[in-house]
Amino acid sequence: MYQEKMSVESENKALVRRFYEDYYNNSRLDAIDDMFDPSYVHYTPEVSEGKMSYEEYREHILTLSRAFPHMRVAIEDQIAEKDRVVTRLTMYGIMEGDLPGIPAKGQEVKVDVITIMAVREGKIVEGWEQYDSLGMSIQLGVAQIVSTLKKGPQEKGYFPGWEDYNI
């Protein structure tokens, strides 16, 4: 039987998928140590410096795992080109432990995430992350949306002077 060799892009996608599956869905917290290079750099607007070292990122996701010990992810899409893998996923969980400044109250969250991971020599070496931090904050009860519209925040809006566009 003919067996086709896996492309570099397919191998990279499989590595990133395996990380998310092992770490979040199978609670194998040492997966980060197996799959990430110690020189890993994580870029995110969520920290003041805009990036985290491997150790900072490792502690960040361990803190998240302690707060959401049964968190699951559903990978919606993955696209790979050369050494980059883009993953769109949804994280689901119930906050059972505290986050810094946010006490656990059993809140359920559903958070959309997009990451780009760079893979070299079988290890994840760089990552960029965007997630719905406002949506997560609202679900955790630490932020709320204040509407300046005449209608309530759950209703479709009315925009004065935009009669053709009002819903």
Side-chain angles (χ1 to χ4, degrees), residues 68 71 91-94 107-111 136 139-140:
F68 297 91
M71 176 150 317
M91 300 181 105
Y92 302 88
I94 298 172
Q107 310 94 315
E108 289 186 46
V109 297
K110 175 185 171 193
V111 181
M136 183 175 177
Q139 292 171 66
L140 293 176

Side-chain angles (χ1 to χ4, degrees), residues 10-145:
S10 295
E11 289 175 6
N12 292 346
K13 282 171 58 173
L15 173 69
V16 172
R17 177 177 292 275
R18 193 169 67 247
F19 167 69
Y20 286 117
E21 292 286 338
D22 283 0
Y23 189 88
Y24 291 103
N25 295 347
N26 299 322
S27 300
R28 197 172 79 74
L29 303 183
D30 62 341
I32 189 170
D33 298 322
D34 295 342
M35 298 179 208
F36 283 64
D37 190 88
S39 67
Y40 176 82
V41 178
H42 187 78
Y43 300 93
T44 178
E46 297 302 314
V47 295
S48 58
E49 299 81 27
K51 66 181 180 178
M52 292 184 241
S53 68
Y54 168 74
E55 287 301 325
E56 291 166 329
Y57 177 68
R58 185 178 185 278
E59 183 54 37
H60 166 72
I61 65 171
L62 285 170
T63 298
L64 192 63
S65 296
R66 287 188 290 269
F68 297 91
H70 303 100
M71 176 150 317
R72 298 290 174 258
V73 299
I75 295 176
E76 313 292 347
D77 290 302
Q78 266 194 322
I79 302 166
E81 186 174 317
K82 298 180 183 173
D83 70 342
R84 304 288 167 104
V85 178
V86 178
T87 306
R88 183 176 66 88
L89 57 98
T90 306
M91 300 181 105
Y92 302 88
I94 298 172
M95 190 172 171
E96 299 176 39
D98 296 343
L99 285 171
I102 307 171
K105 297 179 198 157
Q107 310 94 315
E108 289 186 46
V109 297
K110 175 185 171 193
V111 181
D112 296 320
V113 181
I114 297 176
T115 63
I116 302 171
M117 300 283 193
V119 179
R120 291 187 197 101
E121 298 176 13
K123 296 282 187 178
I124 300 170
V125 296
E126 257 180 316
W128 296 262
E129 176 182 66
Q130 293 286 326
Y131 70 96
D132 182 10
S133 59
L134 177 58
M136 183 175 177
S137 297
I138 291 168
Q139 292 171 66
L140 293 176
V142 296
Q144 63 181 1
I145 295 176

Side-chain angles (χ1 to χ4, degrees), residues 149-150 157-166:
L149 303 174
K150 292 181 183 178
Y158 174 81
F159 300 92
W162 292 67
E163 284 72 22
D164 293 339
Y165 299 99
N166 288 322

